[in-house]
Amino acid sequence: MVIVTEKNVLTKPLRYLLRQATAQCDSEVDTEKKTKEKEANPDGERGTWSSQWDFAFSCVAYAVGLGNVWRFPYLCFKNGGGAFLIPYFFSMLICGVPMFFLEVSVGQYLGVGGMSVVGQLAPIFKGVGYSAMMMVFLENVYYIIVITWTLFYLFHTFIDLPSLPWSDCSKGNGTWSTVSCWNPDSGVPFPQSLPARHNISEADSQTAVEQFWSNEVLHISGGIEEVGEVQWDLFACLIVAWALVYAFIWKGLHNSGKVGNLVI
């Protein structure tokens, strides 16, 4: 069936026009629905990277952390020094880099978070995503303590400039330093040191760094039966650490790349 206009010009079949009108109505309904959803939840859209460099720097910041800075040299020294680098680089090339590339590729392809990405690939393993989020939560809870210790040391570096508060045992007299404190770098031989005068052997003595960590930072008690008190200075650093984390992520994904640039 065709339609004849006022000028008696044949147009397209009526069936085609009805289909186009119906599609247009559906499109208007979908647009109106999306507009209402966006007004109800203006921040509901998933953020994206502002540039490729933000994504690259975010990956570097994700892969490099405090563990790489202070944990890796210790493990390298403890497990053979330079020989440890051979199995390390082998494992990194065989396992680490391919797994990291797979994780990034799947995340970029599906465009979803870690909690739902496994469920989209295999619905039967949907629980793996929830387990992964629980592991990330537990990891963040203990890792924020490491950030707290870092902030604690950072603030204390400005107390006794240009030296450090834990550079010598005399700086902790009456607070964190005990009679077993002896600093080998002080130039005082051990037979003339304070631990030797109190009949403490060199093996049982502790450096200023160790005692500052045990007595000033951790305030280690005599045993598990001694709970001790809340360390308010560490508690304040913990609040600052959580505040920094929130400030970095509250704007969403598109700002995390700039934070990664700052961290790197």
Side-chain angles (χ1 to χ4, degrees), residues 2 5 7 21 23 25 31 54 87 89 92 159 179 181 200 207 231 233 255 260-262:
V2 296
T5 61
K7 296 182 181 181
C25 293
T31 303
D54 284 348
F89 283 110
M92 182 184 68
I159 295 178
V179 294
C181 183
I200 299 176
T207 62
Q231 309 303 323
D233 46 1
N255 283 333
N261 298 341
L262 177 63

Side-chain angles (χ1 to χ4, degrees), residues 241-258:
W242 277 118
L244 289 175
V245 171
Y246 177 77
F248 289 158
I249 65 176
W250 78 290
K251 281 290 187 178
L253 180 65
H254 57 281
N255 283 333
S256 60
K258 300 179 179 59

